[in-house]
Amino acid sequence: MLDGVDRRILSELQADGRLSYNELARRVGRSAPAVAERVRRLSERGVIAGYHARVDPAAAGLPVTALVRMECFGPRCLLRDEAAMARPEILQLHRVTGDTCCVLFIAVRSMAHFEELIDRLAEHGRPSSTMVLSSPIPWRAVQGPGG
């Protein structure tokens, strides 16, 4: 279970993952060694899953984004093909319930590139896409219970 200090540490790190332990300690009112130990434990428990830069796909040359629902099953299922799941256009992949096997968030450089990707995905089942027009909430920090 997370206590208030853990939640404050997570909030600060999600806002700026490049904080030094000294600065993080100052912000949460603890010593740097105590904060470093808490961060280590949060990482070991899998609460902190990694550190990365949030990149805007459009600014990185991938202005076309879409959600693609896949209806697939059996040996051709996308989830059984590691090479297909490793395609760089697939930024997120979620296995879901219902008639859809999985939902992908993809980013590509053009509509022609999108069409090529859809044709390749169709080898695994039936893709159905929804183009992303804008993202009013592109990312949100996890608050956790009680946060």
Side-chain angles (χ1 to χ4, degrees):
M1 202 51 129
L2 301 176
D3 66 14
V5 174
D6 288 338
R7 282 194 291 279
R8 288 197 319 266
I9 288 170
L10 292 173
S11 177
E12 293 292 343
L13 287 177
Q14 287 179 98
D16 183 357
R18 295 173 47 163
L19 288 175
S20 69
Y21 286 132
N22 287 334
E23 178 60 18
L24 183 57
R26 187 187 68 72
R27 292 183 184 190
V28 301
R30 297 288 190 267
S31 71
V35 165
E37 177 61 20
R38 281 180 177 257
V39 170
R40 183 189 63 74
R41 283 190 303 215
L42 289 166
S43 295
E44 285 177 354
R45 291 175 34 210
V47 177
I48 296 175
Y51 296 87
H52 64 278
R54 280 183 298 178
V55 175
D56 179 339
L62 303 170
V64 178
T65 56
L67 298 170
V68 178
R69 294 168 307 285
M70 290 294 300
E71 289 183 29
C72 53
F73 59 91
R76 289 186 1 192
C77 179
L78 180 70
L79 296 174
R80 296 177 189 264
D81 187 336
E82 289 185 28
M85 288 193 304
R87 293 192 62 86
E89 299 94 341
I90 300 172
L91 301 183
Q92 295 180 12
L93 188 150
H94 305 277
R95 186 174 182 188
V96 298
T97 62
D99 294 337
T100 299
C101 169
C102 55
V103 176
L104 296 69
F105 175 65
I106 60 108
V108 292
R109 64 184 173 280
S110 65
M111 286 305 292
H113 187 188
F114 177 73
E115 188 174 1
E116 291 171 21
L117 178 62
I118 289 296
D119 288 345
R120 290 192 180 213
L121 291 173
E123 297 170 6
H124 299 281
R126 192 175 92 168
S128 175
S129 61
T130 301
M131 303 308 295
V132 174
L133 298 177
S134 67
S135 299
I137 302 174
W139 177 86
R140 180 173 281 155
V142 174
Q143 297 297 312

